[in-house]
Amino acid sequence: MNTQASSDRSAATSFAVPAWVDWLGGSVARRPRLWQRLGRLESSALRERIQATPIQAPVYVSGLARSGSTVLLEMLAAHPDMATHRYRDFPLVYTPWWWNRFLDRAQRPPAAATERAHGDGILVTPDSPEAVEEVLWMGFFPHLHRPGASDVLGFMTDAPVFEDFYRDHLRKLLLLRGGRRYLAKGNYNTTRIEYLLNLFPDARFVLPVREPAAHVASLMRQHRRFAERHAADPRALRYMSRLGHFEFGLDRRPVHIGDGSEAAAIAAAWAAGREAEGYARAWNDLYRFVADRLDAMPALREAVLIVRHEDLCMEPERSLRRLFAHCALDAGPAYFERCVAQLRCGAVGGPGLDASDRQLIQQITAETAARYGYGRGAGIATPPLRTARSEDPFSRRLTG
């Protein structure tokens, strides 16, 4: 059998978007206000039940794509206390209760697990946890992801209409999934951690980070993969855009963190084919923003746990125990054994990059990388320079 042909067929299958999903997803994307009204109607129908459903210490997993966020999401989502979005919740994200009841009554045969579109060995079904709530953020904040507009929603953001809807939405997910704690993966929530902490003062945040060269190499590989499939199948491109995934592919967009010049520089590097430079700038801009905000806000610092991908790979049980302790989740030894057995870790050290790319990435990211304990010029994470008793929040968290 031709191995390449088999791989191509597998990739095409993982990217396939049914025509009805494309059509219905387009309806939601074009008429967000209509679907918001329907979502409020659904909440009204469930008012008594959702009012009796408290929102307790929601957990947000958020970092630059390819940082290990999916692995962390899977580990947390397997805990019986957690309730999260699933692949099946798209495209009718605004009305999760009605949509899931319809799907349950449709009695479709169970879907076999297949490798997800990233081609990274992670098998998924419609019931697998997934980043879906970006649909809501884009619907209520239409400026998000638009060129020239900041993506940051800070502590002083005031959006009562969204906040009422969002709280009801979380309660419906908890009711629907039978969980006590809401869990969300969302790469762009990194730019909203202050706003989310203002909404939920007991929220816990998990921010994965990865050594820059390895991270950039992974992003470059995914961009090539998705751009190729998007060119072959416009449905796959529309699906990604409607879900709010702009990290790679033909609708790639830089995260605008209040500095228009840096977002423009990232976009210009990509447009000129300087992939390593563009992604290195994106890495540096986002993680510098996070470090600056944690330095400035003690309350935010206390709510956030930084999880280095390399620590998770090299000391998985220790890293997972720290993760669960931060999120105030109880789990026994057997649970951690299962998690460690299922753990998937990407390559360390940036394979596929030439020497000039490596040098450029190091130049762009060195100062910010050092704040996360990555040694100058190191291919993998090195211990932070300060001790666990230091005032530096990253040293304290990374050394456990």
Side-chain angles (χ1 to χ4, degrees):
M1 178 181 291
N2 186 308
T3 303
Q4 182 60 48
S6 177
S7 176
D8 289 345
R9 284 195 297 271
S10 177
T13 300
S14 66
F15 277 90
V17 177
W20 69 267
V21 172
D22 183 53
W23 176 84
L24 197 53
S27 173
V28 174
R30 289 189 296 272
R31 301 174 180 86
R33 291 185 179 180
L34 168 63
W35 287 96
Q36 289 163 21
R37 288 196 295 271
L38 290 172
R40 284 189 285 269
L41 182 61
E42 179 186 70
S43 297
S44 295
L46 297 167
R47 180 57 56 197
E48 185 175 340
R49 297 181 69 180
I50 62 176
Q51 282 183 336
T53 304
I55 302 173
Q56 303 176 20
V59 177
Y60 291 91
V61 179
S62 180
L64 192 63
R66 309 304 298 164
S67 60
S69 56
T70 298
V71 169
L72 294 171
L73 173 69
E74 289 186 332
M75 301 295 103
L76 290 167
H79 193 281
D81 284 353
M82 307 306 283
T84 191
H85 284 105
R86 301 174 181 176
Y87 279 88
R88 66 183 283 169
D89 294 325
F90 184 84
L92 300 193
V93 183
Y94 289 98
T95 54
W97 184 269
W98 288 341
W99 176 234
N100 276 270
R101 287 294 175 261
F102 168 77
L103 292 177
D104 290 342
R105 289 181 173 84
Q107 296 183 338
R108 303 180 67 183
T114 58
E115 186 177 29
R116 68 175 185 158
H118 302 70
D120 53 9
I122 295 179
L123 302 179
V124 297
T125 73
D127 288 312
S128 297
E130 172 60 330
V132 171
E133 70 163 45
E134 192 65 20
V135 172
L136 306 181
W137 292 97
M138 293 190 300
F140 281 92
F141 300 94
H143 70 278
L144 296 177
H145 310 299
R146 291 185 179 176
S150 174
D151 292 319
V152 176
L153 299 175
F155 194 79
M156 299 303 293
T157 299
D158 184 26
V161 174
F162 165 75
E163 292 161 17
D164 288 345
F165 188 98
Y166 188 62
R167 288 190 177 96
D168 280 347
H169 185 83
L170 267 57
R171 293 185 182 103
K172 287 186 286 190
L173 257 292
L174 292 167
L175 184 63
L176 177 67
R177 302 270 139 85
R180 292 194 312 109
R181 306 271 301 280
Y182 175 69
L183 167 66
K185 173 195 166 188
N187 296 333
Y188 300 107
N189 281 338
T190 312
T191 62
R192 307 163 191 150
I193 50 178
E194 292 179 35
Y195 180 41
L196 286 166
L197 187 63
N198 191 27
L199 296 182
F200 309 111
D202 59 352
R204 299 283 91 182
F205 299 91
V206 179
L207 271 68
V209 62
R210 187 175 182 180
E211 187 275 324
H215 203 159
V216 169
S218 181
L219 286 163
M220 290 170 61
R221 286 193 296 271
Q222 289 301 321
H223 176 66
R224 289 192 293 269
R225 178 181 178 87
F226 276 78
E228 178 182 331
R229 293 310 308 170
H230 288 169
D233 183 0
R235 287 183 189 171
L237 174 58
R238 291 193 293 267
Y239 179 85
M240 289 279 288
S241 298
R242 290 163 181 168
L243 262 178
H245 291 307
F246 304 105
E247 301 91 343
F248 25 72
L250 294 186
D251 196 14
R252 178 174 57 177
R253 309 177 194 181
V255 179
H256 190 306
I257 309 177
D259 183 352
S261 62
E262 189 58 23
I266 294 168
W270 285 338
R274 302 193 304 273
E275 294 292 323
E277 177 189 341
Y279 276 123
R281 284 180 174 273
W283 189 100
N284 191 69
D285 199 32
L286 182 70
Y287 286 109
R288 179 180 58 191
F289 168 80
V290 170
D292 288 346
R293 298 318 302 151
L294 296 191
D295 280 348
M297 292 187 63
L300 192 64
R301 208 158 55 227
E302 188 64 27
V304 170
L305 175 70
I306 303 294
V307 179
R308 294 193 306 188
H309 182 70
E310 297 75 22
D311 294 338
L312 188 62
C313 292
M314 293 185 288
E315 297 182 295
E317 184 170 348
R318 179 173 178 267
S319 297
L320 290 172
R321 287 186 180 278
R322 288 177 52 245
L323 169 67
F324 276 68
H326 176 73
C327 297
L329 290 169
D330 293 328
Y335 188 93
F336 290 111
E337 288 178 8
R338 289 196 301 272
C339 287
V340 170
Q342 296 169 5
L343 190 61
R344 308 173 186 89
C345 291
V348 173
L353 297 171
D354 59 32
S356 61
D357 282 342
R358 289 173 180 272
Q359 183 178 16
L360 179 62
I361 293 167
Q362 195 276 331
Q363 289 173 350
I364 292 171
T365 65
E367 183 177 341
T368 299
R371 299 173 76 176
Y372 293 86
Y374 293 105
R376 190 173 184 84
I380 60 174
T382 57
L385 298 179
R386 302 184 186 184
T387 68
R389 295 184 181 274
S390 165
E391 291 301 314
D392 175 49
F394 293 99
S395 295
R396 182 169 66 252
R397 291 193 180 279
L398 290 172
T399 54

